[in-house]
Structure formats: C-alpha cells, structure tokens
C-alpha cells in the first residue's frame, strides 16, 4: 500500500484549519489540510437558516481578506461566512483536500511522527494539528426519554420554525443560540418557554461602539484565563435583526415565558430550578460591569463618545420572573418540541494519544500538547478569551505554526563530526 508522507497534517478546514494553513505556508512548511466534507461545512449544514455572525463584519474575519459586499458594521449571514472561508482558502492557496475523513492518528514507533488512517489510505506526518474546533458533539442532557411523546432536537439540527410540528416549544439554554432561536420561534407565532441558566449578557452596542470593540480596547479579549467558575460561561449576545442587546425582560413582554434552569423530568412534567431571578440579576451585573469599564475608559482617555444613560435603565421584572414557574406539564401547556441549546462537547476519539484528561479535554499549553508533534487550534481559551473566535484563532495558529517551525529545526539538527569526536 502506498503511504503518503507530509511534514504537517491539519485535520479540519474550518476557520482554525485555514488559519493554520496560512501560517504554515508563511513558515515554508509543507502541509496538507484534510476536510471530511466541504470547507467551513458546519456553517452551512449544522446551523439554522437565519443565523448571522455574532460579531460585525469588520471584526469577525481574518486580517488578509475583508467582506467586500457587506457593510463593516453589519452581521454576515452564515452562508456568506462559509463562502468567505472558501474564498480565503483560494486566496492563500491552501492545500485543502475535501471529502477525506481522518479515522485514526497513532504514534509511529521508532521515529518522530504519526501514522494517520484516512478514508483514502494512510498518511505519515511528522506533526498533526487538530483543527476540528469546539463544536464537535452536540450535548443533550439525558433528562427526557425518547418515548416521552415530545420531539427533541439539538440546536445544531434546527433550521426554521416550519421544521417543527405544530405546538409550543421549550427552548433549553439561553446563550446566543437559545435566545436567537426562541426569538425566531416567537416571531413566527409559536408559544415559547425559554429556560434561562447563568450567563454573561454584554451590551450589543454602547456609546456608539459594538461590544467587540470594547472588549478589544479594554484588553478583555486577551485575558489569559477565565475568572473562577467561568471557564464555560454562557454568553447571551446576538447579531440577529441587525444586532440588539439581549434583554430577557423584553423577550418576556413579547410573549416568551421565562423559566429557571431545567433540572429534571418525570411523568410528563419538567421541573425547573428556582434560580430565574438570580440568573437574570447576575446577567445584569455582568452587563453593568462592562458599562462601568467603558465609562471609565472614556473618561481616562478623553474620548468624544456620547453618553448613554438610558442603557442603565431596566424595565420592571415580568410576572414570569416575580412569580416563577417551578414545574410544567408539557402536554397541558401544548408543548410538542424541546429544543436543546445546550452546547457541544469535544470528540477526539480518532486521536490515539495519552494527552486527554478524565473529561476527554486535551492537555496543552497554548495548543502545544504533551505529545511532541500533536497540536490543537480553535478551542476555547486555547491561549486567551478570544481563542475560539474567528480573529482569535488566526493569532493562535501563528503561535502554533512558529512552534512547529522551531521543532523542525531541532529535528533537522546534526552534530558536526568534530563535536562527535570530542564527545567520544
């Protein structure tokens, strides 16, 4: 059997894989990017139809290519984002091979490198970069049995309201996905319950600047580690409808019934934690903290940005917050669908190396694993808060590519004959 040989193999041709390819090329490193589907496939086939980027076009992109057909302050639709990455692959002449699945990566015994089993044969690579991103395996809590008489699907399988059977919908999870889907369903005339857990709730814009700008000038994107307990915090932010601050009170006034964190299910009844008011209060506190930091930055630097006192005014708490629902009979409430916007888990089952913790998360330092030659890009908090975002992964990939280049120089080193004689 013919075995293909390559210096560095990149697994995945999404934003992480393409960023990696660009920097490897800049370092003169021969490499190959394998993608089991199409470039940026998850943007095309694993997201709902109306999804747009959570950041404006001037920000959510790579440095080398702009969105030439979108206002810089607008939010790119998902298909346009996928097209952008396909164009970027052409722009950098990335050596992407689509339709090839990586099935297993094992250490090659007796020499540096790895043997990679793919759907099209074997590849030997000195380095392997896992660029499959953070959204690999949808997580649905094992609370509601399949025979409960209600349709259940994860947010990655949701496309539009017409896809769901007639009736009400319980959306579990109030991060960006859950909030946007709940809002879309309510606008389509569905009766919606939204289960709200702990979350951060940044302003979409404040004093004429998008929140991504504030996170940049305040240095928050570059935070090297999350605050205690916030490693996997849910962030409620949206670019939908032109971009507006997520306001749970406003969602309630438009007919969405808010409930606390989903806790258990039995005999057709869903039970919720009595934490709704607390979760909204903590979200408000996070929101106000960013406003405070922004105001202080403006004052300290003498910026001419308009004050916005109305941003600190909250509407009165709706009835569903002051008198929360503790349990809900799904059939009696007319709920026919549970939509789980409960995130994703990593799935590196194809990577056979002792570099994962008990939860299956890779052990690494800025993407450099404990196994020489295995690297990761595109994961949350790989090096900073912005690591899993489009612009952040580009910078992380540069560090990893530089590390691979340095390792190549060590592996290529040969002692001079004089040194070998002296050592003898």
């Amino acid at each position: 059997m013919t075995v293909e040989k390559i210096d560095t193999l990149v697994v995945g041709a999404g934003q992480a894989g393409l960023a990696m390819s660009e920097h490897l090329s800049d370092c003169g490193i021969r490499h190959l990017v394998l993608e089991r589907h199409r470039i940026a496939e998850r943007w095309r086939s694993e997201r709902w139809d109306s999804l747009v980027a959570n950041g404006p076009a001037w920000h959510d992109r790579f440095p080398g290519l702009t969105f030439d057909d979108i206002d810089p302050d607008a939010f790119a639709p998902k298909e346009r984002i996928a097209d952008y990455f396909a164009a970027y692959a052409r722009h950098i002449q990335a050596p992407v091979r689509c339709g090839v699945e990586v099935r297993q990566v094992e250490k090659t015994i007796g020499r540096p490198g790895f043997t990679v089993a793919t759907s099209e044969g074997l590849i030997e690579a000195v380095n392997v970069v896992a660029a499959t991103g953070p959204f690999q395996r949808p997580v649905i809590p094992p609370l509601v049995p399949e025979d409960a008489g209600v349709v259940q699907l994860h947010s990655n399988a949701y496309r539009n309201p017409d896809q769901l059977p007639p009736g009400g919908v319980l959306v579990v999870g109030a991060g960006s996905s859950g909030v946007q889907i709940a809002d879309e369903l309510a606008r389509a005339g569905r009766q919606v319950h939204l289960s709200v857990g702990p979350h951060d709730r940044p302003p979409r814009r404040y004093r004429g600047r998008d929140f991504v700008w504030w996170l940049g000038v305040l240095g928050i994107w570059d935070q090297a580690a999350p605050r205690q307990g916030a490693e996997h915090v849910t962030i409620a932010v949206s670019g939908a409808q032109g971009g507006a601050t997520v306001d749970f009170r406003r969602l309630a006034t438009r007919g969405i019934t808010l409930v606390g964190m989903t806790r258990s299910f039995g005999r057709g009844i869903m039970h919720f934690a009595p934490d709704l008011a607390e979760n909204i209060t903590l979200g408000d506190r996070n929101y106000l903290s960013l406003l405070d930091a922004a105001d202080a930055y403006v004052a300290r630097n003498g910026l001419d940005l308009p004050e916005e006192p109305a941003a600190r005014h909250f509407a009165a708490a709706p009835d569903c917050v002051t008198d929360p629902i503790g349990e809900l009979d799904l059939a009696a409430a007319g709920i026919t669908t549970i939509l789980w916007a409960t995130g994703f888990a990593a799935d590196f089952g194809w990577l056979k190396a002792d570099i994962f913790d008990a939860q299956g998360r890779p052990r690494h330092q800025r993407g450099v694993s404990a196994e020489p030659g295995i690297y990761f890009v595109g994961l949350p908090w790989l090096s900073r808060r912005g690591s899993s975002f489009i612009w952040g992964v580009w910078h992380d990939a540069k560090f990893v590519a530089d590390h691979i280049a340095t390792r190549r120089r060590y592996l290529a080193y040969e002692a001079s004959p004089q040194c070998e004689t002296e050592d003898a």
Side-chain angles (χ1 to χ4, degrees), residues 230-315:
E231 293 85 353
H232 305 290
V233 68
T234 294
I235 301 177
V237 65
S238 173
Q241 309 298 321
T245 298
V246 171
D247 186 335
F248 290 101
R249 298 172 183 82
R250 187 180 303 124
L251 292 175
T253 62
R254 293 220 314 272
I256 295 177
T257 301
L258 308 177
V259 294
M261 195 169 183
T262 299
R263 187 163 60 182
S264 63
F265 176 84
R267 299 180 181 274
I269 297 175
M270 191 73 86
H271 301 270
F272 307 103
D275 61 356
L276 176 59
E278 178 186 1
N279 293 336
I280 290 179
T281 297
L282 291 175
D284 292 344
R285 189 177 302 167
N286 170 259
Y287 168 89
L288 292 170
S289 70
L290 186 56
L291 267 55
D292 290 342
D295 288 343
Y297 182 87
V298 169
R300 188 168 60 252
N301 292 281
L303 300 184
D304 184 19
L305 296 178
E307 294 185 7
E308 198 175 336
R312 295 178 176 273
H313 297 162
F314 300 142

